[in-house]
Amino acid sequence: MKSAAAAIMSGLSLSAPPPPRRSAYLSTSTTRSAQGCFRLFSLSLPVHRCFNLTKNPIFVVRNCSSITAKPSSQMRKKHDTGLEQDQKLTALRELFGKPGINIDAYIIPSQDSHQSEFIAECYMRRAYISGFTGSAGTAVVTSNKAALWTDGRYYLQAEKQLSSSWILMRAGNWGVPSTTEWLNDVLAPGGRIGIDPFLFSSDAVSELKENVAKSNHELVYLYDVNLVDEVWKEARPLPPNKPIRVHELKYAGVDVSTKLSNLRSELSDHGSSAIVISMLDEIAWLLNLRGSDVPHSPVMYAYLIVEIDSAKLFVDKSKVSPEVMEYLKKAGIELKAYDSILSEIESLATKGAHLWLDTSSVNAAISSTYATACDTYLGKLGRKSKESNLSGAPTALFKSSPVSLAKAVKNHAELEGMRNAHLRDAAALAEFWSWLEDEMNKKVVLTEVEVADKLLEFRASQAGFVDTSFDTISGSGANGAIIHYRAEPDSCSIVDTQKLFLLDSGAQYLDGTTDITRTVHFGQPSERQKECFTRVLQGHMALDQAVFPETTPGFVLDAFARSSLWKVGLDYRHGTGHGVGAALNVHEGPQSISFRFGNMTPLLKGMIVSNEPGYYEDHAFGIRIENLLFVKEIDTPNRFGGIAYIGFDKLTFVPIQTKLVDFTLLSASEIDWLNDYHSQVWEKVSSLVDGSAREWLWNNTRAVVKP
């Protein structure tokens, strides 16, 4: 795999300007090593980054509509018919031969210009062209073929949504080619492959270029046109324009001036004079701002450039109220137009900036523009030699964003806000489950969408509610086996009392973000279902109780959650845990708990992660149990190696259905864990509910004993 320290976009073939060269501004001292060490706002730790797109060839796409919390029944849209998908593919292919384009294939990722997981509707290009609405996937269209790659969470969903014109590539399965392997196979040598450089990270494009070059293909940057937008035309939704708000200091814990000062110290320590920040949650966290541009995530579309003595926020100024304008002015932040980011990047080069670039997140348009501007700067001096080392010449430092880890380690106020938000969320869920159980007992017919909408009602009544944190996964029976299932009003199932029901949901509150999954049965579960549920629960308990050295990366813990399933030859096709933001994105890095062992980020005190093992039988049922945890230090009797040992504490307090547990499989200590957890649920939540919800909570938190 090409090193992330390779030249910024060096050697890329462009459709308009000539390809930028690897130039003298790239000093060898600025390259990122496989295992570096950087101090992050007073933290010093090793950081390992691994980007392997051949193993996980899935790119992501952004969307663009303002968001308010609406019921699922109002937000869902009818899927395209196969005929409509075919017409879109035909229109797209007709653009391939246009002047200034002239390509043989086009890659359509899921991301927006900021590598966002959730995106505004106007940027959902992959979903528009393919009909597949899952959050992760990459579409590739040639003159006579169309293929879509997605991971194990979405296999069943993609099977349902793709027309016969599309080839489904089940990424991660044995024998399935990557996007570039497939292109190298189906295109004649010397083909031209088009991309929108704003939608790919610099690292992703470097690897794409290297891989397609094996068949002498040329990667073509289409700066000025996105071909899917040309097909979409007037039907494309407008960009979001809702106002930005200040995230109160009582929730943020640290003011913006202090955060900027810490970041500037980090820049100085690494010999940088400026940094480009493009990840939306990093900008929101650093500036203590929140927005409504992206569904489920309280962020705004923006770029941020921080220099040693100044800062510029690139954003649609119509979103900035006088109050926010004054707030930014006091913090020394200048407002610039969102679409002026590339001209500012060029200006940094002319000033001889030593620019910090996180090439895993900054898009290829930005990194390539900086490379070209640096070449131009040196060219004007008449010093183009690669060996030149000019004092004052622009350079680049390739390194992970220091904001990412600083954001992941929550301060006291952020943790307190998360605790409080989870308790209110638990109260809403107790009211919801009490209602749903009563409706099922009365044999009321409810669809998956109606159930999700009712849950939204209960959450919306809680103080500080802002939005859902992702589309609720409400899956009865076989739909629960679709890991990221999304119920649609015109095609969803009835919640069947004779089948397992999986509900994965979350909320955004002013003070915190929640994410919880429970699996229940309203009738009599089968012995098979009980065994599978119990083994998932055992994995959940094992991870919850894990104690480990403070330098341990998350992938080391993944086996804790799978071990009980492995004993009988079972497993699941997703990671076990993801980071969670504090009143920010429900999925955040850099930490994770996953079988993908490339992420060497250690789990640190103050981080928040999910604990969500599962098991899924295709076309039958799905099981998942999810709580959020925060990392804390554990008082161990020994400290081998002189280091601290850490573990977890719970944020989520909602009962786990004991009807689904096969207690003959549980040890005495595992039963103690379940009883202790339910005791905590009652203690923390019972005072927040009354009536039938309180009665339901009592009935579902009573102690159990081993038969």
Side-chain angles (χ1 to χ4, degrees):
M1 185 186 74
K2 189 171 184 178
S3 167
I8 302 180
M9 314 319 302
S10 63
L12 284 177
S13 298
L14 311 180
S15 58
R21 299 171 288 102
R22 180 177 180 90
S23 52
Y25 82 96
L26 294 172
S27 100
T28 56
S29 63
T30 66
T31 58
R32 184 194 298 165
S33 63
Q35 177 178 343
C37 182
F38 69 93
R39 196 184 76 245
L40 182 65
F41 292 17
S42 79
L43 292 172
S44 182
L45 57 131
V47 173
H48 307 249
R49 301 295 292 270
C50 179
F51 306 95
N52 191 332
L53 301 182
T54 60
K55 288 183 64 178
N56 188 21
I58 298 173
F59 307 95
V60 187
V61 72
R62 172 183 70 184
N63 66 10
C64 204
S65 62
S66 56
I67 180 70
T68 54
K70 296 180 181 178
S72 300
S73 53
Q74 294 181 25
M75 297 179 67
R76 305 295 187 231
K77 297 184 177 180
K78 188 175 180 179
H79 293 312
D80 290 343
T81 63
L83 177 61
E84 290 170 327
Q85 290 187 29
D86 290 346
Q87 291 172 340
K88 291 174 183 178
L89 285 174
T90 298
L92 181 67
R93 286 167 174 146
E94 288 175 351
L95 299 173
F96 284 11
K98 296 289 184 182
I101 298 176
N102 189 26
I103 58 174
D104 302 295
Y106 192 58
I107 304 177
I108 306 137
S110 301
Q111 289 88 345
D112 55 17
S113 300
H114 305 268
Q115 306 302 300
S116 307
E117 177 186 16
F118 300 126
I119 57 176
E121 191 176 359
C122 63
Y123 299 125
M124 293 183 176
R125 299 174 173 112
R126 189 226 63 227
Y128 171 78
I129 202 68
S130 69
F132 168 64
T133 59
S135 66
T138 301
V140 181
V141 179
T142 70
S143 60
N144 59 1
K145 296 180 186 294
L148 181 130
W149 281 255
T150 192
D151 62 48
R153 298 170 297 170
Y154 297 104
Y155 292 165
L156 297 181
Q157 179 179 342
E159 288 174 3
K160 288 184 175 183
Q161 293 181 332
L162 293 176
S163 76
S164 59
S165 298
W166 288 86
I167 304 167
L168 173 58
M169 297 291 190
R170 294 171 176 82
N173 279 1
W174 180 259
V176 175
S178 69
T179 52
T180 52
E181 288 170 341
W182 185 76
L183 282 167
N184 288 343
D185 181 56
V186 301
L187 294 181
R192 287 168 55 86
I193 300 169
I195 65 167
D196 181 339
F198 286 93
L199 305 185
F200 293 81
S201 71
S202 178
D203 278 347
V205 167
S206 293
E207 187 160 351
L208 274 174
K209 177 185 177 296
E210 179 180 331
N211 288 335
V212 300
K214 295 173 183 176
S215 292
N216 199 32
H217 297 316
E218 181 182 2
L219 198 62
V220 180
Y221 269 27
L222 301 176
Y223 275 99
D224 300 323
V225 60
N226 183 285
L227 300 190
V228 176
D229 293 350
E230 294 298 298
V231 175
W232 214 340
K233 297 181 178 177
E234 292 79 11
R236 186 182 175 217
L238 295 173
N241 60 359
K242 289 203 169 183
I244 297 168
R245 59 182 169 87
V246 175
H247 187 54
E248 294 184 57
L249 185 58
K250 65 180 179 180
Y251 303 136
V254 179
D255 62 75
V256 62
S257 296
T258 301
K259 289 181 178 180
L260 286 173
S261 177
N262 290 339
L263 176 58
R264 285 170 174 142
S265 295
E266 191 79 15
L267 295 180
S268 296
D269 289 349
H270 287 83
S272 290
S273 61
I275 185 171
V276 180
I277 302 171
S278 62
M279 295 294 284
L280 303 184
D281 61 334
E282 292 185 15
I283 296 170
W285 179 85
L286 186 63
L287 301 185
N288 290 342
L289 294 176
R290 297 294 188 267
S292 303
D293 285 355
V294 176
H296 315 301
S297 301
V299 296
M300 59 282 173
Y301 279 115
Y303 296 98
L304 180 66
I305 293 178
V306 177
E307 299 180 71
I308 296 299
D309 57 358
S310 66
K312 297 181 177 70
L313 179 65
F314 299 80
V315 69
D316 180 352
K317 295 181 182 180
S318 68
K319 303 174 188 176
V320 183
S321 66
E323 175 194 4
V324 174
M325 184 79 76
E326 181 63 23
Y327 168 84
L328 292 171
K329 184 178 179 180
K330 287 181 179 178
I333 300 165
E334 179 184 355
L335 282 184
K336 305 279 282 187
Y338 176 79
D339 57 5
S340 67
I341 181 65
L342 293 186
S343 62
E344 189 66 28
I345 294 296
E346 291 173 335
S347 177
L348 286 172
T350 63
K351 294 192 298 185
H354 301 280
L355 185 61
W356 186 317
L357 289 170
D358 183 343
T359 52
S360 70
S361 60
V362 168
N363 66 54
I366 288 176
S367 56
S368 181
T369 295
Y370 189 65
T372 302
C374 289
D375 279 344
T376 301
Y377 176 95
L378 295 175
K380 287 180 179 179
L381 295 179
R383 302 285 296 277
K384 300 181 181 180
S385 169
K386 292 183 179 180
E387 286 72 35
S388 297
N389 187 14
L390 302 175
S391 176
T395 59
L397 170 67
F398 302 118
K399 203 170 185 62
S400 301
S401 168
V403 180
S404 177
L405 193 58
K407 171 175 58 65
V409 178
K410 308 312 188 261
N411 60 48
H412 175 77
E414 289 172 325
L415 282 175
E416 188 64 20
M418 289 290 279
R419 290 188 187 96
N420 292 334
H422 274 79
L423 291 180
R424 298 198 304 279
D425 202 57
L429 283 158
E431 293 169 346
F432 163 78
W433 285 114
S434 171
W435 166 81
L436 182 57
E437 192 171 283
D438 186 54
E439 296 295 282
M440 293 294 100
N441 289 337
K442 293 188 294 187
K443 301 190 184 307
V444 175
V445 176
L446 294 169
T447 68
E448 296 163 329
V449 167
E450 289 171 333
V451 168
D453 289 349
K454 191 66 177 181
L455 174 57
L456 175 59
E457 287 183 28
F458 284 114
R459 278 196 165 115
S461 68
Q462 293 295 323
F465 176 82
V466 176
D467 192 5
T468 52
S469 57
F470 54 94
D471 278 323
T472 296
I473 300 170
S474 173
S476 178
N479 290 337
I482 303 173
I483 297 171
H484 275 201
Y485 172 69
R486 188 170 75 172
E488 303 282 358
D490 58 350
S491 61
C492 67
S493 297
I494 301 297
V495 177
D496 192 330
T497 58
Q498 301 307 308
K499 297 178 180 178
L500 285 172
F501 176 61
L502 186 153
L503 187 74
D504 187 348
S505 67
Q508 295 286 1
Y509 296 93
L510 290 175
D511 52 349
T513 303
T514 70
D515 182 3
I516 173 176
T517 308
R518 290 293 182 266
T519 306
V520 301
H521 200 298
F522 297 106
Q524 184 58 47
S526 69
E527 291 305 310
R528 169 69 171 176
Q529 291 170 338
K530 290 177 67 174
E531 179 186 359
C532 294
F533 183 91
T534 304
R535 291 189 179 280
V536 171
L537 176 59
Q538 287 175 309
H540 180 93
M541 292 189 288
L543 181 58
D544 178 271
Q545 299 175 90
V547 177
F548 45 95
E550 61 181 349
T551 56
T552 303
F555 80 84
V556 173
L557 304 178
D558 185 72
F560 283 53
R562 299 179 192 268
S563 178
S564 184
L565 289 166
W566 285 350
K567 288 176 181 177
V568 292
L570 301 179
D571 205 347
Y572 50 95
R573 294 191 188 102
H574 59 74
T576 299
H578 56 82
V580 180
L584 265 177
N585 290 358
V586 71
H587 296 153
E588 76 166 15
Q591 76 276 21
S592 70
I593 300 173
S594 174
F595 57 89
R596 299 179 181 90
F597 52 82
N599 187 349
M600 297 297 294
T601 306
L603 296 178
L604 301 172
K605 289 179 291 184
M607 284 182 169
I608 293 173
V609 294
S610 66
N611 174 9
E612 49 182 311
Y615 175 68
Y616 313 89
E617 290 199 354
D618 291 354
H619 312 294
F621 63 83
I623 296 166
R624 189 160 62 251
I625 304 170
E626 177 185 17
N627 284 352
L628 296 192
L629 311 171
F630 68 90
V631 183
K632 67 173 186 178
E633 186 170 344
I634 303 296
D635 185 16
T636 55
N638 304 291
R639 288 201 170 196
F640 182 81
I643 62 174
Y645 282 72
I646 56 179
F648 301 111
D649 207 351
K650 301 171 190 66
L651 286 170
T652 308
F653 293 97
V654 174
I656 295 168
Q657 191 180 59
T658 55
K659 179 199 295 187
L660 278 166
V661 178
D662 181 350
F663 287 98
T664 65
L665 295 177
L666 295 187
S667 67
S669 62
E670 288 171 331
I671 293 176
D672 287 345
W673 182 97
L674 188 59
N675 286 333
D676 180 67
Y677 177 63
H678 282 155
S679 175
Q680 291 182 63
V681 171
W682 174 256
E683 178 184 342
K684 294 175 181 294
V685 184
S686 60
S687 63
L688 304 178
V689 293
D690 53 26
S692 59
R694 185 179 172 89
E695 181 180 355
W696 177 88
L697 195 69
W698 169 252
N699 290 334
N700 285 274
T701 56
R702 287 183 291 181
V704 295
V705 295
K706 189 177 179 71

